[in-house]
Amino acid sequence: MPVTNKIDPAAGTGHEPRAAEKILKVARDLFYRQGIRAIGVDEIVRTAGVTKPSLYRSFPSKDELAASYLRRYDGEFWARFEESVTAHPGDPRAQIVAFLAGVGKRTQRPGYRGCGMTNAVVEYPERDHPARLVSEENKRELRRRLRAMAKAMGAGEPDTLGDGLLLLIEGAYISGQLFGAGGPARSVARNAELLIDASLATPGRA
Amino acid sequence: MPVTNKIDPAAGTGHEPRAAEKILKVARDLFYRQGIRAIGVDEIVRTAGVTKPSLYRSFPSKDELAASYLRRYDGEFWARFEESVTAHPGDPRAQIVAFLAGVGKRTQRPGYRGCGMTNAVVEYPERDHPARLVSEENKRELRRRLRAMAKAMGAGEPDTLGDGLLLLIEGAYISGQLFGAGGPARSVARNAELLIDASLATPGRA
DNA sequence: TGACAATGTTACCGATCGGTACGTATACGA
DNA sequence: TCGTATACGTACCGATCGGTAACATTGTCA
C-alpha cells in the first residue's frame, strides 16, 4: 500500500505521522491569522517544533500546504453550515438566517479575520493556484446551495436572492475583519431577513 | 512640458519629479492586479523604467508606496461615487442604485480584481500598517455616508440599511474577482433595490 | 557659464524566501 | 540479532526580499 499520502496526511495508513498533523495545525493558525503570503515555511516549522524537510515530506510545496489548510477550512465551513440546516429541517429561510446569525456573531469576535478561503482568493489572483482552486470550488457550491434554498423558499427571483445572500455573506466576512466589533457585519442576519421577505413578496421578473 | 499633475508625491518641492509619477502609476497597476505582497520593488522599478534609488527618493518605503497607491485609489473611488450622487440630486435612493449599477458593471469586466483598498485590508491584517490605515479611513467614511443616505431615504432602520448596502458592496467586490462574469456581483444593484424598498416599508425597530 | 536638483549607474547589504542533499535515529519483523 | 523501512535532523542551496552608499549624468534656470 502507498504509505504516504502527500496531500492528506490523515488518510490511508492507520497511524498518521505526527509531524504532518502538527504542521497542518500550525499552518492553519498562522495562515488564517496573518495571511498565506505573510507566513514563511520557516516560521511554520519553527512554531510546529519540526524541521523543514519534515514539511516537504508531507507536502509537496508551500502552495499545496496552503491548499491543504483550505481543504480543512472547507470541511469546517460545511460542518457549520450543515449545523444550521439540520437545526431547522424543511425551513430554508430559518436555515439561512440561523447560519447568518452565526456568521454575524463570529465577525464580532476580537481578532476575527474573515473567511480563510475568501482571503486566499484575494491573495492569489492566479486562476490556477492550488489555494484558489479549493476556495473557488467552495464558493461555487455555496452559491449553488443558496440559490437552491432561495428557490425552495418560493422567491420571485430565486437566483437573485441566492446571489444577494452570498453578497451579504462575503460582505460580512470582509467587513468583520475591517471594522471589528460594532461593524456592519453585525447586522448581516437582519439584512438577510429583510432581503428574503422582500424577495418572497416580489413576483418573478426577467 | 511641465507636468503639473500633482496628486501626492513630494508635495513640498514646487518642481514635480517625473520618476515618482511613473513609479506610482506602475505601482498602481501591479499592486492592484497582482496584490501588494506579490509585487517586489524590483519589478516596479523595472516596469517603470527607473531605478531603485529613484523609488526610495520619492517614497520612504514599499509600505508607504502602497499607501500612496491607495490614496490615489481612494481619490478615484470618491470621484466615481460623487458622479453617481450628482447625477441624481436630492434622490439618495437613485444615487445609491446608480453607484451600485456601476459597481456591478465593473465587476463583470474581464480581469476585475475587486477593490484595491479591500484587498489591502486582507493582505495586511496588522492594525497600524500604512496601507491599512488608508483603507480603513475610506471604509469608515463610506459607511458614514451610506448610513446618512439611508436616513435621508426615510428607512425604518437607517443604520441597518446603510450597513446592509455596505455589505452588498463589499460582497460585490469579492464575488466579482472570485466568480468573474456571470457571478453574484451582477445582481448587486437589483438586490440593493429590494433591500432598500424593504427597509422603506419597515417601521423602526430596536 | 555656473549652480542645483533630479535622475541614473553600479554595486552592495543582511535577511528571508521556498526547497533539497544527505546523514542519523528508531521501530519492527524475520 | 540483523536488515530494512520510516521519520527526523543538520546543513546547505540559489534566488529574491526591501533597502542603501557613492558617484556620474542630465536638464533647467539664473
Side-chain angles (χ1 to χ4, degrees):
Chain A
M1 85 170 70
V3 196
T4 49
N5 186 329
K6 292 235 162 195
I7 303 299
D8 183 1
T13 62
H15 68 293
E16 62 269 22
R18 294 199 15 86
E21 181 55 30
K22 283 196 283 185
I23 289 167
L24 195 50
K25 201 165 182 178
V26 167
R28 204 214 103 99
D29 216 54
L30 296 180
F31 282 161
Y32 176 74
R33 287 202 158 93
Q34 299 178 238
I36 299 171
R37 292 199 117 112
I39 296 295
V41 291
D42 289 279
E43 188 163 357
I44 292 176
V45 299
R46 197 186 329 129
T47 308
V50 301
T51 58
K52 218 168 354 171
S54 282
L55 191 158
Y56 283 97
R57 275 179 217 113
S58 297
F59 306 93
S61 66
K62 184 200 174 183
D63 288 343
E64 282 300 334
L65 172 60
S68 291
Y69 142 60
L70 291 174
R71 274 188 284 274
R72 176 164 293 196
Y73 196 100
D74 173 76
E76 297 168 2
F77 170 85
W78 288 116
R80 284 193 297 267
F81 192 88
E82 293 299 342
E83 198 176 327
S84 296
V85 168
T86 58
H88 303 275
D91 188 348
R93 197 198 117 112
Q95 291 167 354
I96 287 182
V97 172
F99 177 69
L100 268 287
V103 169
K105 201 165 187 177
R106 281 192 297 278
T107 63
Q108 301 300 297
R109 291 212 287 242
Y112 178 74
R113 256 286 280 171
C115 169
M117 296 175 289
T118 297
N119 294 352
V121 167
V122 173
E123 283 200 275
Y124 294 99
E126 307 89 18
R127 211 43 88 177
D128 57 347
H129 192 284
R132 192 186 175 100
L133 296 178
V134 177
S135 302
E136 284 189 2
E137 176 55 33
N138 172 277
K139 301 300 182 183
R140 268 194 301 271
E141 174 65 11
L142 177 58
R143 186 192 197 194
R144 199 189 59 73
R145 293 199 62 165
L146 289 173
R147 285 177 155 204
M149 291 163 91
K151 191 170 186 179
M153 276 186 250
E157 310 165 35
D159 285 354
T160 298
L161 175 58
D163 284 359
L165 293 170
L166 185 49
L167 295 182
L168 287 176
I169 292 171
E170 294 296 337
Y173 290 151
I174 293 295
S175 309
Q177 65 179 303
L178 214 165
F179 288 91
R186 190 182 33 179
S187 64
V188 62
R190 174 68 183 140
N191 274 290
E193 284 178 343
L194 289 168
L195 189 59
I196 290 171
D197 293 343
S199 292
L200 295 188
T202 302
R205 181 219 222 202
Chain B
M1 53 184 69
V3 183
T4 41
N5 181 12
K6 48 168 50 186
I7 298 289
D8 181 32
T13 66
H15 206 276
E16 203 58 31
R18 287 190 358 100
E21 180 56 28
K22 282 197 284 184
I23 290 167
L24 195 49
K25 200 166 182 176
V26 167
R28 206 213 101 101
D29 216 54
L30 296 180
F31 281 162
Y32 176 72
R33 286 203 158 93
Q34 300 177 237
I36 299 172
R37 291 201 119 110
I39 296 296
V41 291
D42 289 279
E43 189 163 356
I44 292 176
V45 299
R46 197 187 328 129
T47 308
V50 301
T51 58
K52 212 159 17 160
S54 280
L55 191 157
Y56 283 98
R57 280 182 206 114
S58 297
F59 306 92
S61 66
K62 183 198 175 185
D63 288 344
E64 282 300 333
L65 172 60
S68 291
Y69 141 61
L70 291 175
R71 274 188 286 273
R72 175 164 293 195
Y73 196 100
D74 173 76
E76 297 167 1
F77 171 84
W78 288 116
R80 285 193 297 268
F81 192 88
E82 293 299 342
E83 199 176 328
S84 296
V85 168
T86 59
H88 304 275
D91 187 349
R93 196 198 117 112
Q95 291 168 354
I96 286 181
V97 172
F99 177 69
L100 268 287
V103 169
K105 201 165 188 177
R106 282 193 295 278
T107 63
Q108 301 299 296
R109 291 213 288 243
Y112 178 75
R113 256 285 279 171
C115 168
M117 295 174 289
T118 297
N119 294 352
V121 168
V122 172
E123 284 201 274
Y124 294 100
E126 307 89 19
R127 210 47 86 178
D128 57 348
H129 192 284
R132 191 185 175 102
L133 295 178
V134 177
S135 303
E136 284 190 3
E137 177 53 35
N138 171 276
K139 301 299 182 184
R140 267 194 302 270
E141 174 63 12
L142 177 59
R143 187 192 198 194
R144 198 189 59 74
R145 293 199 61 165
L146 289 173
R147 286 178 154 202
M149 291 163 91
K151 191 169 187 180
M153 277 187 251
E157 311 166 35
D159 285 354
T160 298
L161 174 59
D163 284 358
L165 293 170
L166 185 49
L167 295 182
L168 287 177
I169 292 171
E170 294 295 337
Y173 290 152
I174 293 296
S175 309
Q177 63 180 304
L178 214 165
F179 288 91
R186 190 181 35 179
S187 64
V188 63
R190 174 68 183 140
N191 273 291
E193 285 179 343
L194 288 168
L195 190 58
I196 290 171
D197 293 343
S199 291
L200 296 189
T202 303
R205 183 220 220 200

